[in-house]
């Protein structure tokens, strides 16, 4: 579970990291001869993107935790204050999954015998909320941010060493499309999609984004 | 429900759209005098980012649909082939929420009377899967992509009209931070966070990303 969440973070960060800085560099290569300016733009984009994604992930995680806590507090209060209405909600859950009136009644009474169990039930099945892991938000931010940086460095590397941007672009294209394919292959394996076709799709998005950036930048 | 999903898409697209192109333009303003190059880089980034996020959202939606369909098929087969094992899983669900042995047994028998109801129950409460809306993936891609474009145009606008990038940066900073604050305020209202502090957080992420991009670009 822990490692699958980490894998998900890496996938989120790396798929955008491999795609956006790559496409930006490709787009600029169409209009700027000098690799230096592309390296600077690429690095600025990686800094901005990794912070936006990493901190965005952190905030989303924190918001989820706060939301869970405030709902938990509210449910505990409601179970005290309006137990009949809360029981009715439990009954409705059992009705909606297809149980008979008799079993609805008995099951509801059993759930309501223990307040903690009752509240947990309401949180999970009335509100559809799972308890978020307290340390997740920070870890998630770091995983997503670092994966974005790692992914973003790959397409930029050729521009560090080759001063002609059109020459660097060729190497960047080959290296990044290979990385996108390999990355898409493993990502698909993890998410249970057909690995080859999943890899083709991920690679296509990267190529399309780069093509669009190139076309749009050349137009202006 | 529909409109809250659409709102979520707009939030996803616009928060990155307002942040990343803004930060990229700010970063480049520290090293490039000419606004033209910043406009081109910004537009290339918006093209790349909106495609990566929009198509990324589309693929994620499609994967979710395929996953749901294949799991649904598998559950229908298992209910035919190994009904006792599937009943045991239903029983375990009722045990885990805290029902007595007797009610577990009776409730399980009632669920298993209707195969469609049984499978729906397994999908939702054993696997935690909700049926995805078929048209969502396409709509979601468009909403996210367009919101990214709208968000990204705002910080770039000053660079269209002011040729000195440092002058344009000042206007871009003011306009974007105001937009981030207003956007963060409404986003927080929707997600149930305290609006003012939520707005401060969203604005801070944007400012931090822009500051980091500026610092990193100036270093190189």
């Amino acid at each position: 579970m822990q490692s699958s969440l980490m894998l998900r973070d890496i996938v989120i960060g790396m798929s955008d990291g491999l795609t956006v800085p790559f496409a930006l560099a490709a787009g600029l290569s169409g209009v700027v001869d000098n690799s230096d300016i592309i390296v600077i733009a690429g690095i600025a984009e990686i800094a901005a993107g990794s912070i936006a994604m990493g901190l965005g992930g952190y905030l989303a995680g924190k918001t989820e935790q706060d939301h869970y806590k405030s709902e938990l507090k509210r449910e505990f209060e409601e179970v005290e204050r309006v137990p009949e209405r809360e029981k009715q909600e439990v009954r409705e859950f059992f009705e909606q999954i297809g149980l008979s009136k008799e079993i609805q009644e008995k099951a509801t009474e059993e759930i309501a015998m223990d307040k903690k169990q009752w509240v947990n039930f309401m949180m999970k099945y009335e509100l559809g909320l799972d308890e978020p892991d307290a340390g997740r938000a920070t870890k998630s931010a770091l995983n997503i941010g670092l994966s974005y940086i790692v992914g973003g460095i790959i397409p930029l590397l050729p521009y560090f060493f080759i001063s002609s941007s059109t020459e660097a672009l060729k190497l960047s294209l080959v290296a990044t499309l290979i990385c996108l394919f390999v990355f898409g292959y493993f990502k698909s394996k993890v998410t249970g999609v057909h690995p080859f076709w999943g890899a083709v799709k991920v690679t296509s998005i990267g190529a399309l984004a780069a093509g669009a950036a190139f076309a749009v930048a050349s137009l202006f």
Side-chain angles (χ1 to χ4, degrees), chain A:
Chain A
M1 189 57 185
Q2 278 304 84
S3 75
S4 93
L5 285 174
M6 186 174 158
L7 222 54
R8 207 197 53 175
D9 290 340
I10 293 176
V11 162
I12 290 174
M14 197 166 282
S15 65
D16 276 19
L18 274 170
T19 306
V20 182
F22 163 55
L24 174 68
L28 286 179
S29 299
V31 279
V32 184
D33 274 339
N34 191 327
S35 285
D36 287 354
I37 201 88
I38 295 174
V39 167
I40 291 169
I43 284 175
E45 143 69 35
I46 292 174
S50 61
I51 287 177
M53 285 197 81
L55 277 186
Y58 177 78
L59 268 199
K62 277 286 169 208
T63 303
E64 203 186 323
Q65 276 174 41
D66 293 346
H67 183 58
Y68 188 86
K69 271 186 214 155
S70 76
E71 288 296 324
L72 191 68
K73 194 163 156 266
R74 205 168 58 89
E75 285 297 338
F76 267 112
E77 283 166 10
E78 286 184 354
V79 156
E80 286 302 335
R81 207 162 38 80
V82 282
E84 282 314 313
R85 207 182 69 195
E86 295 300 289
K87 274 189 194 168
Q88 182 54 28
E89 289 175 358
V90 178
R91 222 173 275 125
E92 277 160 16
F93 171 82
F94 288 121
E95 186 186 353
Q96 163 255 317
I97 64 172
L99 298 185
S100 65
K101 277 257 176 290
E102 187 205 340
I103 302 293
Q104 283 171 37
E105 204 53 54
K106 286 185 180 162
T108 303
E109 287 308 320
E110 289 189 359
I111 294 278
M113 278 188 316
D114 176 341
K115 268 188 189 136
K116 196 155 172 265
Q117 165 181 295
W118 188 3
V119 166
N120 281 341
F121 178 86
M122 302 291 285
M123 290 297 288
K124 197 149 181 198
Y125 301 107
E126 187 206 348
L127 302 173
L129 295 176
D130 281 309
E131 188 171 0
D133 174 355
R136 274 289 301 156
T138 315
K139 265 183 274 173
S140 188
L142 283 174
N143 292 337
I144 294 178
L146 287 177
S147 309
Y148 192 94
I149 294 172
V150 171
I153 289 291
I154 294 168
L156 274 193
L157 272 182
Y159 295 93
F160 278 95
F161 303 111
I162 303 168
S163 63
S164 155
S165 67
T166 42
E167 286 307 306
L169 174 60
K170 288 174 196 161
L171 202 60
S172 175
L173 258 172
V174 174
T176 311
L177 292 179
I178 291 173
C179 285
L180 276 169
F181 193 89
V182 172
F183 166 75
Y185 188 90
F186 285 105
K187 177 189 168 184
S188 305
K189 276 213 153 182
V190 170
T191 49
V193 181
H194 189 291
F196 179 78
W197 291 113
V200 168
K201 279 182 196 164
V202 169
T203 312
S204 307
I205 292 183
L208 205 65
F214 192 92
V216 168
S218 304
L219 270 176
F220 275 81

